């Protein structure tokens, strides 16, 4: 179910502007990898290439290869829609579909896949909401609008929506940055549980969070102002936060930079 | 909550303690600027309410004496002899023609307008979307007399074979029966088509506006679930835009119901003795075109009152349509905020 991600010599462009250069890294299955770095260094951009969401932006394109186990995500025969069904994504701001009930939000992905059987849908809704630690809070109001939940609940609803389609990989783009500390803790606990089934990649500005939830940490930075972003260092989280190889990493995590 | 999606603060329910939703807050400071601006805003609001009320009162006051003198049933009679010692007038034919032309216009303009708006906001490359939007807006700038004239002199001739074909294939249904008279361009069906072109820019402009405001987060949420472009539009764009599309359709319908010149020019009036026909390939007069056609004859209060009564029905019809649209929007409100 969980798969390995291999990124090789990845360059990312917005039109003619090269935003990120020369990223190579490997994400092991059933592990959590955190992307850290200052704003604008391209970590979210890299994340969005992992499920081909980058190309949704006009002019967005990539060079290099990204493969999931041995499957090239950017092969010409690869359908981006199929990639996104395999690699789920949770966004910075909770974005439940405002016109849908809680149940319909979770079932949205399955319905796109053509699942119509009500019993099957109900089972998956329950399983996914349990998987996102939300079931007990919403089981009595599944038909209420998803947008009526609190911010933290909405974000867990979005996680439930993402795992309902049974992805191999789960990408999270600063999933806690719009949440209070208690909701953040709930999401972090959830990430720890999700790790047993999925490959998780999370972008975060919060270094304590990276240290708490991840097995591996990748530090991104700009070469210089106006230059493309690049991957400075990727290693075990333990090592990055105690004894990083690069001086730039050391400066960033100790707060002397950025 | 925004006016662009068809929501405004006036859609809000009263507070729990019974205060009206528009209850003024305590942000006013009592300074001169606040007082002047607050006074101006309040004054404008009262002015508009007073204006609509006065129009209603005027219509009723002028219509009632004639209605009391009417010797036929106003709602069910097909006659229209509003003056003399035995005034007899009813609105059945007018109501039928008005509703049929407007429904035809809506059936064409709403799906087409929504599709055009989707093309402009979701599919067109950015270099094309602005000029395309401007072109559609330009349709709104064409005076309605031009549409009428164009329909009569140019487009109408191309409708002849369409009417013939429909009659051959579906003529066994009373709705599509066409005996070759009046000529195809003078039928309710063709007037509806011209009306559709006229309300297309309104429907398109407002739909375009709401579709372009769909938050990127919702669209990306759908795409990230593995939605195709069309599925993304169905899951994220259309539900978000629905109240706006309803508002757009209502504004368009308002124009279609009341449109005068083009319809007057196109439609051929019925022979008063002809039997009532359900066919959309028949002639007729709408409320507005009847009033326009006979505008030269408002010589007695009795006669004028009869036409004003017809106008009053149009006023009420528009009001009902708008109220119905509000109900539709209200029912989905919990899900659109």
């Amino acid at each position: 179910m969980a798969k390995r991600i291999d990124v090789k010599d990845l360059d990312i462009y917005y039109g003619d502007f090269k935003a990120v250069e020369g990223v190579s890294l490997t994400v092991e299955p059933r592990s959590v990898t955190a992307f850290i770095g200052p704003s604008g260094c391209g970590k979210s951009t890299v994340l969005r290439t992992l499920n081909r969401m980058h190309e949704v932006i006009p002019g967005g394109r990539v060079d290099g290869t990204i493969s999931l186990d041995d499957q090239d995500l950017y092969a010409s025969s690869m359908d981006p829609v199929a990639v996104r069904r395999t690699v789920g994504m949770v966004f910075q701001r909770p974005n439940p579909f405002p016109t849908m009930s809680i149940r319909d939000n979770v079932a949205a992905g399955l319905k796109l896949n053509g699942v119509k059987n009500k019993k099957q849908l109900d089972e998956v809704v329950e399983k996914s909401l349990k998987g996102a630690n939300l079931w007990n809070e919403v089981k009595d109001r599944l038909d209420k609008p998803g947008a009526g939940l609190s911010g933290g609940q909405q974000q867990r609803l979005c996680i439930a929506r993402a795992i309902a389609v049974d992805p191999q990989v789960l990408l999270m783009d600063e999933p806690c940055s719009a949440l209070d500390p208690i909701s953040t803790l709930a999401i972090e606990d959830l990430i720890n549980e999700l790790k047993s089934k999925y490959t998780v990649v999370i972008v975060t500005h919060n270094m304590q969070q990276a240290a708490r939830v991840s097995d591996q940490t990748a530090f991104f930075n700009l070469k210089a102002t106006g230059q493309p972003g690049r991957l400075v260092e990727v290693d075990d989280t333990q090592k990055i936060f105690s004894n990083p190889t690069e001086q730039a990493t050391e400066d960033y995590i100790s707060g002397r930079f950025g | 909550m925004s006016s662009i999606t068809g929501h405004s603060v006036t859609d809000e329910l009263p507070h729990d303690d019974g205060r009206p939703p528009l209850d003024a807050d305590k942000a006013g400071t009592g300074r001169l600027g606040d007082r002047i601006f607050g006074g101006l805003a309040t004054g404008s609001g009262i002015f508009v309410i007073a204006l609509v009320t006065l129009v209603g009162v005027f219509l009723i006051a002028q219509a009632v004496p004639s209605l009391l003198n009417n010797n036929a049933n106003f709602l069910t009679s097909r006659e229209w002899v509003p003056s003399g010692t035995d005034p007899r007038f009813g609105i059945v034919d007018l109501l039928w023609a008005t509703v049929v032309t407007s429904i035809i216009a809506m059936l064409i303009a709403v799906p087409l307008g929504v599709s055009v708006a989707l093309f402009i906001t979701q599919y067109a490359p950015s270099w094309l979307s602005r000029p395309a939007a401007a072109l559609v807006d330009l349709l709104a700038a064409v005076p309605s007399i031009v549409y009428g004239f164009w329909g009569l002199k140019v487009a109408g001739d191309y409708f002849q074979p369409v009417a013939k074909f429909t009659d051959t294939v579906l003529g066994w249904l009373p709705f599509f029966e066409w005996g070759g008279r009046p000529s195809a361009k003078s039928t309710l069906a063709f007037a509806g088509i011209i009306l559709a072109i006229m309300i297309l820019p309104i429907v398109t402009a407002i739909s375009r506006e709401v579709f372009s405001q769909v938050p990127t987060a919702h669209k990306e949420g759908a795409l990230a679930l593995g939605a195709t472009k069309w599925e993304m539009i169905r899951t994220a764009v259309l539900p978000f835009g629905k109240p706006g599309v309803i508002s757009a359709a209502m504004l368009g319908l308002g124009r279609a119901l009341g449109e005068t010149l083009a319809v007057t020019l196109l439609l051929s009036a019925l022979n008063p003795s002809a039997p009532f026909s359900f066919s959309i390939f028949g002639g007729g007069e709408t409320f507005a075109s009847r009033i326009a056609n006979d505008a030269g004859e408002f010589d007695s209060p009795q006669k004028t009152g009869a036409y004003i009564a017809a106008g009053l029905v149009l006023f009420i019809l528009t009001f009902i349509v708008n109220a119905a649209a509000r109900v539709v929007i209200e029912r989905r409100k919990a899900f659109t905020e």
Side-chain angles (χ1 to χ4, degrees), chain B residues 18-37:
Chain B
R19 270 182 304 129
L22 283 174
D23 208 7
D25 56 30
K26 299 288 188 288
T29 58
R31 292 188 193 190
L32 185 63
D34 259 354
R35 290 210 304 276
I36 292 176
F37 186 77

Side-chain angles (χ1 to χ4, degrees), chain A residues 13-249:
Chain A
Y13 298 84
Y14 290 98
D16 293 332
F17 174 69
K18 194 184 217 181
V20 177
E21 187 174 59
V23 173
S24 298
L25 61 86
T26 301
V27 177
E28 294 297 328
R30 295 198 180 77
S31 73
V32 179
T33 296
F35 289 180
I36 61 170
S39 293
C41 68
K43 53 196 186 311
S44 289
T45 306
V46 173
L47 189 79
R48 288 170 62 98
T49 59
L50 301 182
N51 68 342
R52 295 191 65 168
M53 281 296 286
H54 173 66
E55 66 207 66
V56 168
I57 298 163
R61 62 189 176 85
V62 304
D63 272 347
T65 55
I66 300 175
S67 40
L68 208 59
D69 283 359
D70 291 321
Q71 214 171 16
D72 181 2
L73 291 187
Y74 283 85
S76 56
S77 59
M78 201 68 183
D79 179 3
V81 168
V83 172
R84 292 175 203 137
R85 286 183 184 179
T86 321
V87 183
M89 186 161 197
V90 175
F91 295 83
Q92 184 170 357
R93 295 203 152 270
N95 59 348
F97 298 124
T99 54
M100 290 185 193
S101 65
I102 294 171
R103 184 202 314 274
D104 289 345
N105 259 291
V106 181
L110 286 171
K111 285 186 179 163
L112 289 176
N113 283 335
V115 179
K116 292 219 171 66
N117 183 324
K118 192 171 175 313
K119 193 160 160 271
Q120 192 188 346
L121 285 174
D122 283 346
E123 277 169 16
V124 174
V125 166
E126 178 171 347
K127 192 174 125 221
S128 309
L129 284 169
K130 280 179 174 161
N133 288 340
L134 190 60
W135 176 250
N136 286 329
E137 292 157 67
V138 300
K139 64 180 176 209
D140 300 322
R141 45 173 172 157
L142 291 175
D143 293 317
K144 292 279 178 348
L149 299 172
S150 76
Q153 289 172 327
Q154 285 188 25
Q155 195 61 299
R156 277 179 284 151
L157 177 61
C158 292
I159 294 173
R161 183 176 71 184
I163 60 179
V165 290
D166 226 1
Q168 323 274 349
V169 177
L170 201 54
L171 309 177
M172 298 180 160
D173 190 355
E174 298 182 43
C176 302
S177 65
L179 305 182
D180 67 273
I182 294 170
S183 307
T184 300
L185 200 63
I187 305 268
E188 286 181 8
D189 287 346
L190 178 56
I191 293 172
N192 262 322
E193 292 169 25
L194 292 174
K195 181 167 87 166
S196 61
K197 289 176 75 180
Y198 306 98
T199 307
V200 180
V201 183
I202 174 173
V203 167
T204 179
H205 271 296
N206 179 332
M207 277 179 280
Q208 286 79 21
Q209 181 170 67
R212 280 193 299 264
V213 301
S214 71
D215 306 303
Q216 175 183 246
T217 298
F219 171 59
F220 290 82
N221 201 352
L222 293 173
K223 253 183 187 165
T225 314
Q227 295 283 306
R230 66 194 174 97
L231 175 63
V232 177
E233 183 174 3
V234 54
D235 215 325
D236 286 348
T237 300
Q238 194 88 41
K239 179 148 189 304
I240 290 273
F241 282 95
S242 57
N243 184 23
T245 313
E246 299 286 330
Q247 186 60 36
T249 316

Side-chain angles (χ1 to χ4, degrees), chain B residues 26 62 69 116 126 132 158 181 190 204 229 235 273:
Chain B
K26 299 288 188 288
Q62 298 275 310
N69 272 336
V116 172
S126 51
Y158 296 98
R181 284 191 61 79
F190 188 64
T204 308
K229 182 127 192 180
T235 11
S273 59

Side-chain angles (χ1 to χ4, degrees), chain B:
Chain B
M1 195 164 69
S2 96
S3 58
I4 209 76
T5 55
H7 276 106
S8 66
V9 71
T10 48
D11 294 321
E12 294 297 291
L13 295 171
H15 292 289
D16 290 337
D17 53 13
R19 270 182 304 129
L22 283 174
D23 208 7
D25 56 30
K26 299 288 188 288
T29 58
R31 292 188 193 190
L32 185 63
D34 259 354
R35 290 210 304 276
I36 292 176
F37 186 77
L40 279 176
T42 312
S44 310
I46 292 172
F47 174 72
V48 167
I49 294 171
L51 202 65
V52 175
T53 314
L54 284 175
V55 169
V57 169
F58 163 81
L59 288 175
I60 292 170
Q62 298 275 310
V64 164
S66 298
L67 287 173
L68 291 177
N69 272 336
N70 188 4
N71 291 328
N73 189 320
F74 181 63
L75 294 176
T76 58
S77 167
R78 295 184 57 225
E79 293 171 273
W80 194 267
V81 190
S83 57
T85 51
D86 180 29
R88 305 179 67 86
F89 55 93
I91 54 164
V92 171
D93 281 353
L94 302 181
L95 188 64
W96 173 253
T98 306
V99 169
V100 167
T101 49
S102 297
I103 288 178
I104 293 171
M106 299 293 286
L107 287 179
I108 299 170
V110 173
L112 193 59
V114 169
S115 310
V116 172
L118 283 176
F119 168 73
I120 290 172
T121 57
Q122 312 294 326
Y123 286 96
S126 51
W127 59 266
L128 183 60
S129 61
R130 274 172 182 279
L135 267 180
V136 177
D137 286 348
L138 208 60
L139 279 179
V142 177
S144 63
I145 186 75
V146 174
Y147 281 110
F149 204 62
W150 174 73
L152 199 62
K153 292 292 167 199
V154 183
D157 295 336
Y158 296 98
F159 191 60
Q160 200 81 12
V162 178
K164 203 173 171 78
F165 175 78
T166 317
D167 183 46
T168 321
V169 179
L170 292 167
W172 50 276
L173 286 167
F175 286 118
F176 299 106
E177 204 180 350
W178 182 52
R181 284 191 61 79
S183 89
K185 60 189 168 194
S186 300
T187 58
L188 299 177
F190 188 64
I193 291 172
I194 295 294
L195 280 178
I197 301 173
M198 295 175 67
I199 65 176
L200 188 64
I202 299 180
V203 177
T204 308
I206 297 177
S207 307
R208 195 183 72 215
E209 199 64 36
V210 281
F211 292 156
S212 69
Q213 293 197 352
V214 177
T216 311
H218 297 167
K219 297 203 283 186
E220 292 197 334
L223 288 175
L225 278 180
T228 61
K229 182 127 192 180
W230 156 238
E231 288 166 339
M232 180 274 281
I233 287 172
R234 218 179 50 198
T235 11
V237 178
L238 289 179
F240 182 89
K242 190 173 156 194
V245 171
I246 293 174
S247 300
M250 289 310 123
L251 277 177
L253 182 54
R255 179 161 186 204
L257 288 171
E259 171 51 36
T260 312
L261 267 177
V263 176
T264 312
L265 212 57
L266 286 171
L267 282 182
S268 87
L270 285 176
N271 181 344
S273 59
F276 184 82
S277 158
F278 279 107
S279 177
I280 62 170
F281 293 104
E285 283 172 286
T286 65
F287 285 112
S289 75
R290 165 67 57 85
I291 294 172
N293 272 332
D294 298 355
E297 303 174 22
F298 299 166
D299 44 19
S300 73
Q302 163 65 32
K303 219 167 161 182
T304 312
Y307 289 96
I308 286 179
L312 183 64
V313 176
L314 189 56
F315 187 77
I316 294 170
L317 193 63
T318 317
F319 186 80
I320 292 173
V321 165
N322 273 308
R326 283 276 151 222
V327 171
V328 174
I329 295 172
E330 185 70 24
R331 270 180 33 205
R332 293 292 300 175
K333 202 176 64 131
F335 283 91
T336 47
E337 280 176 358

